[in-house]
């Protein structure tokens, strides 16, 4: 049997071991991650739902029901729920992407099942989750603001207007529009907000300065009219120059200077990047080696002690040292999004190469083959995280179905960006 097909069968077995009455656990390893996580479970379901396995369908649905049952009075979805105790975890509580993936998880489930009755039963919780997200735009700029380490990279110093959260917000709003339409609600407000976020991500986090002075001048004028603080970021920061990818974050007079693999793949998949931008991002990702020795590194290049964004908490549990964990480490679940982005951009040959590299990565193990490890060292490619990780297996399945079976991933089919975000200053 071909290794790509072997990996598929092994991934299904991992997910069956992760299924529990409360939903999809993040890891099948005893003592690993025995929780239903608000980001891991919906991401895992992107592949689990495509298998046609009834138990995995039920576990995907149970994950959302469990998370929704613990929603706060203000609409916040908990970071995770422990399947052993049924209690929520307070470490890193308030992660901004929990609500985002909760909505996207409902979209994936409804797109797969067409179950309007279940969707209607959960619609109040979905609406409350969206309202909570709107309040994360604390200054009314249209983009989400997040404190440091408040998303999936919960030991890494992204902050304020982050690419990952806002790219995900575009997809979430597109998903909300389709769910609203399915229930006879008005989808227009969600679509309008998605277009606004898409445009502002381009204005704030994509740089074309040296290639077209007039274009960059128009960008500055639009930024100044929209949000003086955004204009001042460029005016007072002389080190900002062109990048072949979206910046990972922008804050008060400062910005991130690394390649955010997840955020940039989402920018491609959710139509924030146009065709030329997508080509630039994917060319860089491959040329810089962010997909080697396996796809895909979380952030690149690594941050070292003494660098501006180094944090002493990176040493916690020996995790975020250079080339490890979020700081240049390889995450196989991100490799699944990389394959999807290549496929979306029409790079079929590279997508198949990446899928095979991802199968190789998931086969590696410290104690057994087909370990589907959480993360690998960024240079050696050796597994260093928890084995039997649900989203490593789930995103492999999602990528496999897209390439081998021609089945679209269960993400909102967002259109490519149209129009010039630098034109006009309204909104």
């Amino acid at each position: 049997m071909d290794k790509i097909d072997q990996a598929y069968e092994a991934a299904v077995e991992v997910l069956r071991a992760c299924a529990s009455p409360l939903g999809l656990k993040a890891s099948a390893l005893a003592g690993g991650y025995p929780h239903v996580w608000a980001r891991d479970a919906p991401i895992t379901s992107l592949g689990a739902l495509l298998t046609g396995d009834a138990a995995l369908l039920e576990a995907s649905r149970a994950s959302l029901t469990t998370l929704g049952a613990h929603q706060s009075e203000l609409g916040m979805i908990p970071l995770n729920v422990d399947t052993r105790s049924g209690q929520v975890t307070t470490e890193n509580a308030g992660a901004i992407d929990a609500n985002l993936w909760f909505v996207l998880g409902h979209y994936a489930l409804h797109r797969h099942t067409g179950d309007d009755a279940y969707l209607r039963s959960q619609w109040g919780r979905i609406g409350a989750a969206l309202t909570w997200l709107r309040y994360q735009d604390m200054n009314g700029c249209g983009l989400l603001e997040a404190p440091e380490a408040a998303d999936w990279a919960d030991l890494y110093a992204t902050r304020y207007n982050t690419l990952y959260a806002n790219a995900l917000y575009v997809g979430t709003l597109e998903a909300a529009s389709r769910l609203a339409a399915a229930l006879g609600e008005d989808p227009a407000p969600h679509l309008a907000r998605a277009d606004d976020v898409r445009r502002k991500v381009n204005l704030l986090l994509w740089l074309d300065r040296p290639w077209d002075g007039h274009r960059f001048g128009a960008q500055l004028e639009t930024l100044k009219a929209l949000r003086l603080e955004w204009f001042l970021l460029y005016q007072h920061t002389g080190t900002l120059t062109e990048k072949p990818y979206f910046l990972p974050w922008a804050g008060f007079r400062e910005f991130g200077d690394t390649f955010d693999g997840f955020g940039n793949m989402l920018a491609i998949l959710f139509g924030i990047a146009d065709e030329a931008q997508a080509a630039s991002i994917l060319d860089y990702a491959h040329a810089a080696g962010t997909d080697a020795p396996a796809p895909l590194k979380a952030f690149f290049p690594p941050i070292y002690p003494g660098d501006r964004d180094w944090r002493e908490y990176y040493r916690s549990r020996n995790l975020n040292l250079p080339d490890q964990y979020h700081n240049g480490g390889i995450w196989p679940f991100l490799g699944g999004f990389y394959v999807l982005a290549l496929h979306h951009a029409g790079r079929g040959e590279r997508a198949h190469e990446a899928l095979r590299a991802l199968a190789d990565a998931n086969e590696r193990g410290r104690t057994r083959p087909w370990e589907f490890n959480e993360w690998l060292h960024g240079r050696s490619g050796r597994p260093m995280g928890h084995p039997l990780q649900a989203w490593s297996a789930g995103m492999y399945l999602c990528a496999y179905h897209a390439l081998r079976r021609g089945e679209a991933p269960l993400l909102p089919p967002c259109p490519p960006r149209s129009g010039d975000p630098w034109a006009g200053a309204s909104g």
Side-chain angles (χ1 to χ4, degrees), residues 318-369:
N318 200 45
L319 281 176
N320 250 10
L321 300 178
D323 300 302
Q324 297 186 179
Y325 209 50
H326 304 121
N327 192 18
I330 295 164
W331 292 71
F333 93 91
L334 293 184
F337 283 97
Y338 180 54
V339 172
L340 294 182
L342 288 166
H343 179 64
H344 181 81
R347 300 190 176 198
E349 184 176 348
R350 282 288 307 125
H352 281 88
E353 290 172 2
L355 183 65
R356 184 166 295 278
L358 191 56
D360 289 337
N362 284 320
E363 184 183 23
R364 298 172 197 170
R366 288 175 290 186
T367 60
R368 51 162 282 175

Short mmCIF file of all heavy atoms in Angstrom, two decimals, residues 318-369:
data_model
loop_
_atom_site.label_atom_id
_atom_site.label_comp_id
_atom_site.label_asym_id
_atom_site.label_seq_id
_atom_site.Cartn_x
_atom_site.Cartn_y
_atom_site.Cartn_z
N ASN A 318 11.02 24.13 28.56
CA ASN A 318 11.99 23.92 27.48
C ASN A 318 11.32 23.91 26.10
O ASN A 318 11.81 23.31 25.15
CB ASN A 318 12.74 22.59 27.67
CG ASN A 318 14.04 22.56 26.90
OD1 ASN A 318 14.81 23.53 26.91
ND2 ASN A 318 14.32 21.46 26.23
N LEU A 319 10.18 24.62 25.98
CA LEU A 319 9.38 24.49 24.77
C LEU A 319 9.82 25.42 23.65
O LEU A 319 10.20 24.96 22.56
CB LEU A 319 7.90 24.76 25.11
CG LEU A 319 7.14 23.60 25.75
CD1 LEU A 319 5.73 24.03 26.12
CD2 LEU A 319 7.08 22.40 24.81
N ASN A 320 9.76 26.74 23.87
CA ASN A 320 9.88 27.68 22.76
C ASN A 320 11.30 28.17 22.53
O ASN A 320 11.52 29.32 22.15
CB ASN A 320 8.95 28.89 23.00
CG ASN A 320 7.78 28.89 22.03
OD1 ASN A 320 7.55 27.92 21.31
ND2 ASN A 320 7.04 29.98 22.00
N LEU A 321 12.28 27.30 22.75
CA LEU A 321 13.63 27.62 22.35
C LEU A 321 13.69 27.63 20.82
O LEU A 321 12.80 27.09 20.16
CB LEU A 321 14.61 26.59 22.93
CG LEU A 321 14.63 26.50 24.46
CD1 LEU A 321 15.60 25.41 24.91
CD2 LEU A 321 14.99 27.84 25.09
N PRO A 322 14.70 28.25 20.23
CA PRO A 322 14.75 28.33 18.76
C PRO A 322 14.59 26.96 18.10
O PRO A 322 15.16 25.96 18.54
CB PRO A 322 16.13 28.93 18.50
CG PRO A 322 16.39 29.78 19.71
CD PRO A 322 15.80 29.01 20.85
N ASP A 323 13.79 26.93 17.04
CA ASP A 323 13.48 25.73 16.24
C ASP A 323 12.55 24.76 16.95
O ASP A 323 12.39 23.62 16.51
CB ASP A 323 14.76 24.99 15.80
CG ASP A 323 15.66 25.86 14.95
OD1 ASP A 323 15.20 26.34 13.89
OD2 ASP A 323 16.82 26.08 15.35
N GLN A 324 11.92 25.22 18.02
CA GLN A 324 11.02 24.35 18.76
C GLN A 324 9.64 24.98 18.93
O GLN A 324 9.49 26.19 18.89
CB GLN A 324 11.61 24.03 20.14
CG GLN A 324 12.92 23.27 20.09
CD GLN A 324 13.43 22.84 21.45
OE1 GLN A 324 14.47 22.20 21.53
NE2 GLN A 324 12.74 23.20 22.52
N TYR A 325 8.66 24.13 19.10
CA TYR A 325 7.29 24.53 19.42
C TYR A 325 6.82 25.63 18.46
O TYR A 325 6.91 25.48 17.24
CB TYR A 325 7.23 24.95 20.88
CG TYR A 325 5.88 24.72 21.55
CD1 TYR A 325 5.23 23.50 21.47
CD2 TYR A 325 5.28 25.73 22.29
CE1 TYR A 325 4.02 23.29 22.10
CE2 TYR A 325 4.05 25.54 22.93
CZ TYR A 325 3.43 24.31 22.82
OH TYR A 325 2.22 24.11 23.44
N HIS A 326 6.30 26.74 18.96
CA HIS A 326 5.87 27.81 18.05
C HIS A 326 7.05 28.54 17.42
O HIS A 326 6.92 29.14 16.36
CB HIS A 326 5.00 28.83 18.79
CG HIS A 326 3.81 28.23 19.46
ND1 HIS A 326 3.57 28.32 20.81
CD2 HIS A 326 2.76 27.52 18.95
CE1 HIS A 326 2.46 27.69 21.11
NE2 HIS A 326 1.94 27.19 20.01
N ASN A 327 8.19 28.51 18.07
CA ASN A 327 9.35 29.31 17.67
C ASN A 327 10.20 28.58 16.63
O ASN A 327 11.36 28.26 16.86
CB ASN A 327 10.18 29.65 18.91
CG ASN A 327 11.22 30.72 18.63
OD1 ASN A 327 11.15 31.45 17.65
ND2 ASN A 327 12.21 30.81 19.52
N GLY A 328 9.59 28.33 15.48
CA GLY A 328 10.31 27.65 14.40
C GLY A 328 10.09 26.16 14.38
O GLY A 328 10.69 25.46 13.55
N GLY A 329 9.24 25.62 15.27
CA GLY A 329 8.92 24.20 15.25
C GLY A 329 7.94 23.86 14.14
O GLY A 329 7.22 24.72 13.63
N ILE A 330 7.92 22.59 13.75
CA ILE A 330 7.05 22.08 12.69
C ILE A 330 5.81 21.48 13.32
O ILE A 330 5.90 20.67 14.25
CB ILE A 330 7.78 21.00 11.86
CG1 ILE A 330 8.98 21.61 11.13
CG2 ILE A 330 6.83 20.32 10.88
CD1 ILE A 330 9.96 20.56 10.62
N TRP A 331 4.65 21.85 12.81
CA TRP A 331 3.37 21.32 13.30
C TRP A 331 2.67 20.62 12.14
O TRP A 331 2.22 21.26 11.18
CB TRP A 331 2.51 22.46 13.84
CG TRP A 331 3.06 23.06 15.10
CD1 TRP A 331 4.17 23.85 15.21
CD2 TRP A 331 2.54 22.92 16.42
NE1 TRP A 331 4.38 24.20 16.54
CE2 TRP A 331 3.39 23.65 17.29
CE3 TRP A 331 1.43 22.25 16.95
CZ2 TRP A 331 3.16 23.72 18.67
CZ3 TRP A 331 1.20 22.34 18.33
CH2 TRP A 331 2.06 23.05 19.16
N PRO A 332 2.55 19.29 12.20
CA PRO A 332 1.91 18.56 11.09
C PRO A 332 0.49 19.02 10.77
O PRO A 332 0.08 18.99 9.61
CB PRO A 332 1.94 17.11 11.57
CG PRO A 332 3.15 17.04 12.45
CD PRO A 332 3.17 18.36 13.17
N PHE A 333 -0.28 19.47 11.78
CA PHE A 333 -1.63 19.94 11.43
C PHE A 333 -1.55 21.17 10.54
O PHE A 333 -2.38 21.35 9.64
CB PHE A 333 -2.46 20.19 12.70
CG PHE A 333 -2.44 21.60 13.24
CD1 PHE A 333 -3.37 22.54 12.85
CD2 PHE A 333 -1.47 21.98 14.16
CE1 PHE A 333 -3.35 23.84 13.36
CE2 PHE A 333 -1.44 23.26 14.68
CZ PHE A 333 -2.38 24.19 14.28
N LEU A 334 -0.53 22.02 10.75
CA LEU A 334 -0.34 23.16 9.86
C LEU A 334 0.05 22.69 8.46
O LEU A 334 -0.28 23.35 7.46
CB LEU A 334 0.74 24.09 10.40
CG LEU A 334 0.44 24.85 11.69
CD1 LEU A 334 1.58 25.80 12.02
CD2 LEU A 334 -0.87 25.61 11.59
N GLY A 335 0.76 21.56 8.40
CA GLY A 335 1.08 21.00 7.09
C GLY A 335 -0.16 20.69 6.28
O GLY A 335 -0.17 20.82 5.05
N GLY A 336 -1.24 20.28 6.97
CA GLY A 336 -2.49 20.05 6.27
C GLY A 336 -3.04 21.33 5.65
O GLY A 336 -3.51 21.33 4.50
N PHE A 337 -2.97 22.44 6.39
CA PHE A 337 -3.42 23.72 5.83
C PHE A 337 -2.52 24.17 4.68
O PHE A 337 -2.98 24.80 3.72
CB PHE A 337 -3.46 24.79 6.93
CG PHE A 337 -4.66 24.67 7.84
CD1 PHE A 337 -4.54 24.03 9.07
CD2 PHE A 337 -5.89 25.18 7.48
CE1 PHE A 337 -5.64 23.91 9.92
CE2 PHE A 337 -6.99 25.07 8.31
CZ PHE A 337 -6.87 24.42 9.53
N TYR A 338 -1.24 23.85 4.77
CA TYR A 338 -0.30 24.18 3.69
C TYR A 338 -0.69 23.43 2.41
O TYR A 338 -0.72 24.02 1.32
CB TYR A 338 1.11 23.80 4.13
CG TYR A 338 2.21 24.08 3.14
CD1 TYR A 338 2.39 25.35 2.58
CD2 TYR A 338 3.11 23.08 2.76
CE1 TYR A 338 3.42 25.61 1.68
CE2 TYR A 338 4.14 23.33 1.87
CZ TYR A 338 4.30 24.59 1.33
OH TYR A 338 5.32 24.85 0.46
N VAL A 339 -0.99 22.15 2.54
CA VAL A 339 -1.43 21.38 1.37
C VAL A 339 -2.70 21.99 0.78
O VAL A 339 -2.82 22.15 -0.45
CB VAL A 339 -1.67 19.90 1.75
CG1 VAL A 339 -2.32 19.14 0.59
CG2 VAL A 339 -0.37 19.23 2.16
N LEU A 340 -3.65 22.36 1.63
CA LEU A 340 -4.89 22.98 1.14
C LEU A 340 -4.61 24.29 0.41
O LEU A 340 -5.23 24.58 -0.62
CB LEU A 340 -5.85 23.23 2.30
CG LEU A 340 -6.43 22.00 3.02
CD1 LEU A 340 -7.40 22.46 4.10
CD2 LEU A 340 -7.12 21.05 2.04
N ALA A 341 -3.69 25.10 0.95
CA ALA A 341 -3.37 26.39 0.32
C ALA A 341 -2.72 26.17 -1.05
O ALA A 341 -3.03 26.88 -2.02
CB ALA A 341 -2.48 27.21 1.23
N LEU A 342 -1.81 25.21 -1.13
CA LEU A 342 -1.18 24.90 -2.42
C LEU A 342 -2.24 24.43 -3.42
O LEU A 342 -2.25 24.85 -4.58
CB LEU A 342 -0.12 23.81 -2.24
CG LEU A 342 1.17 24.23 -1.53
CD1 LEU A 342 1.97 22.99 -1.11
CD2 LEU A 342 2.03 25.11 -2.44
N HIS A 343 -3.12 23.57 -2.97
CA HIS A 343 -4.19 23.07 -3.84
C HIS A 343 -5.10 24.21 -4.28
O HIS A 343 -5.47 24.31 -5.46
CB HIS A 343 -4.98 22.01 -3.06
CG HIS A 343 -6.13 21.43 -3.80
ND1 HIS A 343 -6.00 20.69 -4.96
CD2 HIS A 343 -7.47 21.47 -3.54
CE1 HIS A 343 -7.19 20.31 -5.38
NE2 HIS A 343 -8.11 20.76 -4.55
N HIS A 344 -5.47 25.08 -3.34
CA HIS A 344 -6.34 26.22 -3.63
C HIS A 344 -5.70 27.15 -4.67
O HIS A 344 -6.40 27.72 -5.51
CB HIS A 344 -6.61 26.98 -2.33
CG HIS A 344 -7.51 28.16 -2.47
ND1 HIS A 344 -8.89 28.05 -2.51
CD2 HIS A 344 -7.24 29.50 -2.56
CE1 HIS A 344 -9.42 29.26 -2.64
NE2 HIS A 344 -8.45 30.15 -2.67
N ALA A 345 -4.37 27.28 -4.60
CA ALA A 345 -3.66 28.17 -5.52
C ALA A 345 -3.31 27.50 -6.84
O ALA A 345 -2.61 28.10 -7.68
CB ALA A 345 -2.38 28.68 -4.84
N GLY A 346 -3.77 26.29 -7.06
CA GLY A 346 -3.53 25.61 -8.32
C GLY A 346 -2.17 24.98 -8.46
O GLY A 346 -1.73 24.66 -9.57
N ARG A 347 -1.48 24.75 -7.33
CA ARG A 347 -0.15 24.16 -7.37
C ARG A 347 -0.26 22.67 -7.01
O ARG A 347 0.19 22.21 -5.97
CB ARG A 347 0.78 24.90 -6.41
CG ARG A 347 0.93 26.37 -6.77
CD ARG A 347 2.03 27.05 -6.00
NE ARG A 347 2.20 28.43 -6.43
CZ ARG A 347 3.28 29.17 -6.19
NH1 ARG A 347 4.30 28.66 -5.50
NH2 ARG A 347 3.36 30.41 -6.62
N GLY A 348 -0.86 21.92 -7.93
CA GLY A 348 -1.17 20.53 -7.66
C GLY A 348 0.05 19.67 -7.42
O GLY A 348 0.06 18.83 -6.51
N GLU A 349 1.09 19.84 -8.21
CA GLU A 349 2.29 19.01 -8.04
C GLU A 349 2.95 19.25 -6.69
O GLU A 349 3.31 18.31 -5.98
CB GLU A 349 3.28 19.29 -9.17
CG GLU A 349 4.52 18.40 -9.13
CD GLU A 349 5.45 18.62 -10.31
OE1 GLU A 349 5.03 19.29 -11.28
OE2 GLU A 349 6.60 18.13 -10.26
N ARG A 350 3.08 20.52 -6.33
CA ARG A 350 3.67 20.84 -5.03
C ARG A 350 2.77 20.36 -3.90
O ARG A 350 3.24 19.89 -2.85
CB ARG A 350 3.87 22.36 -4.90
CG ARG A 350 5.07 22.90 -5.62
CD ARG A 350 6.39 22.53 -4.93
NE ARG A 350 6.38 22.89 -3.52
CZ ARG A 350 6.63 22.02 -2.55
NH1 ARG A 350 6.88 20.74 -2.82
NH2 ARG A 350 6.60 22.42 -1.29
N ALA A 351 1.47 20.44 -4.08
CA ALA A 351 0.56 19.97 -3.04
C ALA A 351 0.73 18.47 -2.80
O ALA A 351 0.74 18.02 -1.65
CB ALA A 351 -0.89 20.28 -3.44
N HIS A 352 0.88 17.69 -3.86
CA HIS A 352 1.08 16.25 -3.69
C HIS A 352 2.42 15.95 -3.05
O HIS A 352 2.53 15.02 -2.22
CB HIS A 352 0.93 15.53 -5.03
CG HIS A 352 -0.50 15.32 -5.44
ND1 HIS A 352 -1.22 16.25 -6.16
CD2 HIS A 352 -1.35 14.28 -5.22
CE1 HIS A 352 -2.44 15.80 -6.37
NE2 HIS A 352 -2.55 14.61 -5.81
N GLU A 353 3.45 16.71 -3.40
CA GLU A 353 4.76 16.54 -2.76
C GLU A 353 4.65 16.83 -1.26
O GLU A 353 5.22 16.11 -0.42
CB GLU A 353 5.79 17.46 -3.40
CG GLU A 353 6.19 17.08 -4.81
CD GLU A 353 7.07 18.14 -5.47
OE1 GLU A 353 7.40 19.14 -4.79
OE2 GLU A 353 7.43 17.97 -6.64
N ALA A 354 3.92 17.89 -0.93
CA ALA A 354 3.76 18.26 0.47
C ALA A 354 2.95 17.21 1.22
O ALA A 354 3.23 16.92 2.40
CB ALA A 354 3.10 19.63 0.58
N LEU A 355 1.94 16.62 0.56
CA LEU A 355 1.14 15.58 1.22
C LEU A 355 2.01 14.36 1.53
O LEU A 355 1.89 13.77 2.62
CB LEU A 355 -0.04 15.19 0.34
CG LEU A 355 -0.99 14.15 0.94
CD1 LEU A 355 -1.70 14.72 2.17
CD2 LEU A 355 -2.02 13.70 -0.09
N ARG A 356 2.89 14.01 0.61
CA ARG A 356 3.77 12.87 0.87
C ARG A 356 4.74 13.18 2.00
O ARG A 356 4.99 12.33 2.87
CB ARG A 356 4.54 12.49 -0.40
CG ARG A 356 5.42 11.25 -0.24
CD ARG A 356 5.89 10.73 -1.58
NE ARG A 356 4.79 10.25 -2.39
CZ ARG A 356 4.24 9.04 -2.27
NH1 ARG A 356 4.68 8.20 -1.33
NH2 ARG A 356 3.26 8.67 -3.05
N ALA A 357 5.27 14.41 2.02
CA ALA A 357 6.17 14.81 3.11
C ALA A 357 5.42 14.80 4.44
O ALA A 357 5.98 14.45 5.48
CB ALA A 357 6.74 16.19 2.83
N LEU A 358 4.14 15.16 4.41
CA LEU A 358 3.33 15.16 5.61
C LEU A 358 3.08 13.73 6.09
O LEU A 358 3.09 13.45 7.30
CB LEU A 358 2.01 15.88 5.34
CG LEU A 358 1.13 16.21 6.54
CD1 LEU A 358 1.88 17.02 7.58
CD2 LEU A 358 -0.12 16.96 6.08
N ALA A 359 2.86 12.80 5.16
CA ALA A 359 2.71 11.40 5.54
C ALA A 359 3.98 10.89 6.20
O ALA A 359 3.94 10.19 7.23
CB ALA A 359 2.38 10.56 4.31
N ASP A 360 5.14 11.25 5.65
CA ASP A 360 6.42 10.86 6.25
C ASP A 360 6.54 11.42 7.67
O ASP A 360 6.99 10.72 8.59
CB ASP A 360 7.58 11.37 5.41
CG ASP A 360 7.73 10.63 4.08
OD1 ASP A 360 7.26 9.47 4.00
OD2 ASP A 360 8.32 11.20 3.15
N ALA A 361 6.16 12.67 7.84
CA ALA A 361 6.27 13.31 9.15
C ALA A 361 5.36 12.63 10.17
O ALA A 361 5.75 12.42 11.33
CB ALA A 361 5.91 14.79 9.04
N ASN A 362 4.16 12.28 9.76
CA ASN A 362 3.22 11.64 10.69
C ASN A 362 3.61 10.21 11.02
O ASN A 362 3.20 9.67 12.05
CB ASN A 362 1.81 11.68 10.11
CG ASN A 362 1.18 13.06 10.21
OD1 ASN A 362 1.32 13.75 11.21
ND2 ASN A 362 0.46 13.46 9.17
N GLU A 363 4.42 9.59 10.15
CA GLU A 363 4.88 8.23 10.43
C GLU A 363 5.94 8.21 11.53
O GLU A 363 6.08 7.21 12.24
CB GLU A 363 5.45 7.60 9.15
CG GLU A 363 5.87 6.15 9.34
CD GLU A 363 6.51 5.57 8.10
OE1 GLU A 363 7.02 6.34 7.26
OE2 GLU A 363 6.51 4.33 7.96
N ARG A 364 6.67 9.31 11.67
CA ARG A 364 7.78 9.33 12.63
C ARG A 364 7.25 9.22 14.05
O ARG A 364 6.20 9.74 14.38
CB ARG A 364 8.57 10.63 12.48
CG ARG A 364 9.23 10.80 11.13
CD ARG A 364 9.83 12.17 10.95
NE ARG A 364 10.09 12.43 9.53
CZ ARG A 364 10.43 13.60 9.02
NH1 ARG A 364 10.56 14.64 9.83
NH2 ARG A 364 10.65 13.74 7.74
N GLY A 365 8.03 8.53 14.88
CA GLY A 365 7.63 8.39 16.27
C GLY A 365 8.80 8.04 17.15
O GLY A 365 9.82 7.54 16.69
N ARG A 366 8.65 8.33 18.41
CA ARG A 366 9.69 7.99 19.38
C ARG A 366 9.50 6.58 19.92
O ARG A 366 10.46 5.94 20.33
CB ARG A 366 9.67 8.99 20.53
CG ARG A 366 10.20 10.36 20.13
CD ARG A 366 10.07 11.38 21.23
NE ARG A 366 8.67 11.74 21.46
CZ ARG A 366 8.28 12.71 22.29
NH1 ARG A 366 9.19 13.39 22.98
NH2 ARG A 366 7.01 13.00 22.45
N THR A 367 8.27 6.10 19.94
CA THR A 367 7.99 4.79 20.50
C THR A 367 7.25 3.86 19.55
O THR A 367 7.17 2.66 19.81
CB THR A 367 7.14 4.93 21.78
OG1 THR A 367 5.90 5.56 21.45
CG2 THR A 367 7.86 5.77 22.82
N ARG A 368 6.71 4.40 18.45
CA ARG A 368 5.92 3.59 17.53
C ARG A 368 5.82 4.32 16.21
O ARG A 368 5.97 5.55 16.15
CB ARG A 368 4.51 3.36 18.10
CG ARG A 368 3.81 4.64 18.54
CD ARG A 368 2.33 4.49 18.69
NE ARG A 368 1.67 4.51 17.39
CZ ARG A 368 0.35 4.30 17.23
NH1 ARG A 368 -0.41 4.03 18.26
NH2 ARG A 368 -0.20 4.34 16.03
N PRO A 369 5.56 3.60 15.11
CA PRO A 369 5.29 4.30 13.84
C PRO A 369 3.89 4.89 13.83
O PRO A 369 3.06 4.56 14.67
CB PRO A 369 5.43 3.18 12.80
CG PRO A 369 5.07 1.93 13.54
CD PRO A 369 5.56 2.14 14.96
#
